[in-house]
Amino acid sequence: MMRRRKPAPVLVPYPGRRWRRSRPKAVRRIWRLPVLVFYLLLAFPLAVWTCARKPAPDAGSYRAFAWWSRQALRIFGIHLRVGGVIPEAPVLVAANHVSYLDILALATLIPSRFVAKKEMRAWPFFGIMGAWLGTLFIDRSDARASQRILRQAGEILAAGTSVTIFPEGTTSDGREVGDFFAAPFEAACWAGTPTIPVALRYEDVLRPGQPDALCPFVGDDSLFGHLWRLAAAAPLTLRLEFLPALAPGLGRRELATAARQAITEALQRMEQGASVTYLRDPRRHSLRDAWVAWRRRHGG
């Protein structure tokens, strides 16, 4: 029996001072929160001009939202690391759900309509913005209304626009993938479009593969409390891996099972991948090393 080789370490330059992971610092809020408020205020006229006056979002609406999402992620110091092939044809995107930041990250990469739970419609700012961007709010407690929304998602796919779903139905801490609801995959079956699983993981810049504990929006987290905590966070890496497409002929239950398995395996590969060896030890200083070497040569 052949033993599995340990992945070789990846040699990368040590990140500069502004990229280093450190403890959350309240001083970051001094500039992040005012800048965030500015972009939140800017979002309203931008959305009114590109989305609210139109019966449905168009290419200009998606470009405007993608630009705004990139600025928001940049404010929080979240850097995207994308793997796989980003689809260009209309597809159903199925991703694991860790935070509302997932929506911003996916919006920067692929123009699509999102399917979200009905409770998000009541969120301040994000609710009205989501409605203007054509988000489909689904009420899981109402079976008929859910079927109507999923049929509408299928019509959007058939018309040539991608749709993004989070089939867990809730957020997780990013360490494990919850059970997938099969019903949202009915849209892909009805439209005859492929499904693209996407694995998302927030990582410490200096600890690749290890999920970050700050970004998950879970439990009793409030929106403002999470934003306040995130405003003090050090820079993070958000890894997104677009996985091979799943054919719509599998059926909705088979699609849900296959998508969950693909995402779970992708997260495991991220965690068990090659270790990182930095080319420069941040704890070493050239002057101190020279002084120590001089003392050794002179018997000090």
Side-chain angles (χ1 to χ4, degrees):
M1 182 177 179
M2 296 182 61
R3 296 182 60 183
R4 183 180 179 182
R5 289 186 177 182
K6 185 178 179 180
V10 178
L11 301 179
V12 298
Y14 189 79
R17 179 178 298 274
R18 69 191 184 97
W19 302 112
R20 297 179 188 175
R21 178 65 171 170
S22 61
R23 294 180 180 178
K25 296 180 179 179
V27 69
R28 293 190 178 97
R29 296 192 181 105
I30 296 177
W31 70 268
R32 279 183 176 174
L33 290 178
V35 175
L36 179 62
V37 170
F38 169 76
Y39 275 99
L40 290 177
L41 295 176
L42 179 63
F44 275 101
L46 185 65
V48 169
W49 180 259
T50 61
C51 304
R53 302 187 305 169
K54 302 174 183 178
D58 57 10
S61 305
Y62 296 128
R63 284 196 300 269
F65 184 47
W67 175 85
W68 188 90
S69 299
R70 281 193 295 270
Q71 307 312 312
L73 294 175
R74 185 176 299 175
I75 292 171
F76 289 118
I78 298 175
H79 309 278
L80 303 185
R81 178 180 170 186
V82 183
V85 179
I86 300 176
E88 297 182 358
V91 295
L92 179 70
V93 178
N96 60 308
H97 203 12
V98 181
S99 171
Y100 52 85
L101 299 172
D102 306 342
I103 299 174
L104 304 184
L106 289 170
T108 65
L109 300 173
I110 177 171
S112 69
R113 302 272 291 272
F114 288 86
V115 177
K117 58 183 180 181
K118 183 187 69 173
E119 290 77 8
M120 287 191 65
R121 182 65 179 85
W123 282 18
F125 177 77
F126 291 100
I128 188 171
M129 293 293 292
W132 285 349
L133 287 165
T135 300
L136 306 175
F137 296 100
I138 188 170
D139 184 3
R140 293 193 297 268
S141 63
D142 188 338
R144 290 188 177 180
S146 299
Q147 287 293 327
R148 186 165 59 252
I149 292 296
L150 294 177
R151 178 56 64 92
Q152 184 179 353
E155 293 173 352
I156 293 171
L157 282 170
T161 301
S162 296
V163 174
T164 299
I165 62 173
F166 299 101
E168 289 173 288
T170 185
T171 54
S172 68
D173 61 2
R175 298 180 181 274
E176 297 181 355
V177 182
D179 294 332
F180 278 11
F181 287 97
F185 293 91
E186 187 175 341
C189 299
W190 185 85
T193 57
T195 299
I196 302 292
V198 179
L200 297 94
R201 167 162 289 184
Y202 295 84
E203 297 179 348
D204 188 326
V205 172
L206 300 185
R207 292 185 299 170
Q210 301 301 316
D212 182 78
L214 187 64
C215 276
F217 184 72
V218 294
D220 297 328
D221 272 344
S222 65
L223 177 61
F224 292 109
H226 187 265
L227 287 172
W228 178 259
R229 188 170 69 246
L230 197 63
L236 295 170
T237 299
L238 171 53
R239 296 184 62 179
L240 301 95
E241 184 172 351
F242 288 81
L243 303 169
L246 304 175
L250 293 177
R252 66 177 193 176
R253 296 188 184 279
E254 291 77 10
L255 283 174
T257 302
R260 182 180 183 275
Q261 181 178 356
I263 293 174
T264 300
E265 293 175 354
L267 294 179
Q268 291 175 351
R269 288 195 300 270
M270 293 179 187
E271 189 170 353
Q272 300 172 0
S275 59
V276 172
T277 300
Y278 292 104
L279 298 179
R280 179 172 64 86
D281 188 346
R283 296 170 297 180
R284 299 188 61 182
H285 302 279
S286 56
L287 292 177
R288 185 178 63 189
D289 293 345
W291 170 249
V292 171
W294 183 87
R295 292 188 59 186
R296 287 176 180 175
R297 286 198 302 269
H298 293 79

